[in-house]
Amino acid sequence: MAFKKVDPDGWKRLLTRILITGDPNSRKTTSLATFPRPLHALIVPGEKGAAALPQEEGITGYAWEQEDSVKLSPAGIVKAVNVLVAEIVGGKHGPVQTLAIDGFHKMYTWMLADITGGLSLTGDEFEPRLYGRAHEEAMHFLTTINLSSVPYAVFTCWAGKEADNPELGSKGGSHVFPDLPGKMAKRIMGEFGVVLYAEVGQAPGPGKEPPATWQLQPEGKVWGAGVKCPPAIARTLPKRVPQDWTKLEALLIKGGQE
């Protein structure tokens, strides 16, 4: 390993690592169908998004059977997810262009439960410093996938309010970030080239489809959004776009020009 000159086009590689956050039913899972195929989508145990994953050619979904998740320990679930991820990346389940982890907030929950001996699931108190270990395990999981050879890696996660100043609590105001505990809510954004906030608007009329959009930049209540790209390109990007990765990627590469 050694230093090398930065590739001027290296930022384009970052565009293949995407985090989609949003409230439940904001079409995060449905939008996965717009990413390059073959697409393998792993629905994290406990996540209810399997029904929203389109059953189309080139899309393979992996969902957990509920009775099994009750029998297995948190450690067993974390191990099972890691094994399947390794198999998908290694090509055991066929060619892969996109690996999607649907419900990363649930993955963090299982990791924390494993580290706390299940106390975090029952609501019992545990040593707060264990959050630090959970953060590191979650970051390792993200890094392993993002540094893999998979052409596209996409994670979905719930969104939630994060205090601007934790010491002031609600009095200090809050903004929307990924719904993860403590520092992880903001740290996770640094692991992706593209962080999108998913939202569904009001239907324009009876029988009309409500617009589903991705917010690209921090604005208003949402600060958990952003794109890592040259400033000259960032200035040309719209604040929101329809939930279609094929069109958004072309927009990012072209610098905001349709």
Side-chain angles (χ1 to χ4, degrees):
M1 298 295 291
F3 284 106
K4 63 179 182 179
K5 292 183 178 179
V6 174
D7 181 356
D9 290 328
W11 64 274
K12 294 179 181 178
R13 162 71 175 171
L14 287 175
L15 299 183
T16 67
R17 272 44 190 164
I18 303 107
L19 173 65
I20 304 174
T21 74
D23 293 335
N25 302 318
S26 56
R27 300 192 187 172
K28 298 182 299 296
T29 304
T30 303
S31 71
L32 295 177
T34 68
F35 286 85
R37 305 179 189 184
L39 180 146
H40 295 256
L42 191 162
I43 313 298
V44 176
E47 180 64 12
K48 307 300 190 298
L53 183 68
Q55 301 298 307
E56 300 174 0
E57 184 176 355
I59 298 178
T60 303
Y62 304 84
W64 194 271
E65 292 186 358
Q66 184 62 33
E67 59 267 29
D68 289 342
S69 67
V70 172
K71 295 176 183 177
L72 269 182
S73 65
I77 292 175
V78 171
K79 180 180 179 180
V81 171
N82 279 300
V83 167
L84 180 54
V85 166
E87 290 179 350
I88 294 172
V89 171
K92 183 176 180 179
H93 298 278
V96 53
Q97 277 291 110
T98 301
L99 168 60
I101 304 298
D102 189 39
F104 180 71
H105 54 284
K106 294 289 186 181
M107 188 62 185
Y108 185 95
T109 296
W110 291 119
M111 290 175 172
L112 183 62
D114 177 24
I115 290 170
T116 62
L119 293 178
S120 61
L121 292 179
T122 60
D124 293 316
E125 293 185 2
F126 58 87
E127 171 56 58
R129 286 180 297 180
L130 293 179
Y131 274 114
R133 287 178 53 190
H135 289 357
E136 293 308 315
E137 184 171 344
M139 291 294 283
H140 178 72
F141 179 77
L142 292 171
T143 301
T144 298
I145 294 176
N146 283 343
L147 291 182
S148 74
S149 60
V150 171
Y152 292 83
V154 187
F155 290 72
T156 72
C157 181
W158 281 359
K161 289 185 178 180
E162 182 73 12
D164 296 341
N165 186 336
E167 295 182 359
L168 297 178
S170 60
K171 295 181 180 179
S174 64
H175 285 84
V176 175
F177 284 91
D179 190 15
L180 296 167
K183 295 180 180 179
M184 195 64 192
K186 297 176 182 177
R187 284 181 63 188
I188 190 176
M189 292 183 57
E191 300 301 306
F192 296 89
V194 181
V195 180
L196 305 169
Y197 177 74
E199 194 169 25
V200 176
Q202 295 291 325
K208 300 287 186 178
E209 187 76 10
T213 60
W214 285 329
Q215 183 172 324
L216 306 182
Q217 305 173 42
E219 182 183 54
K221 65 175 183 177
V222 178
W223 283 7
V227 178
K228 290 184 175 68
C229 63
I233 290 179
R235 287 193 292 268
T236 69
L237 297 176
K239 291 288 180 20
R240 291 175 179 78
V241 297
Q243 291 185 17
D244 186 326
W245 175 255
T246 301
K247 294 180 179 179
L248 174 55
E249 184 176 38
L251 194 65
L252 293 172
I253 297 296
K254 292 178 181 178
Q257 302 300 316
E258 294 280 9

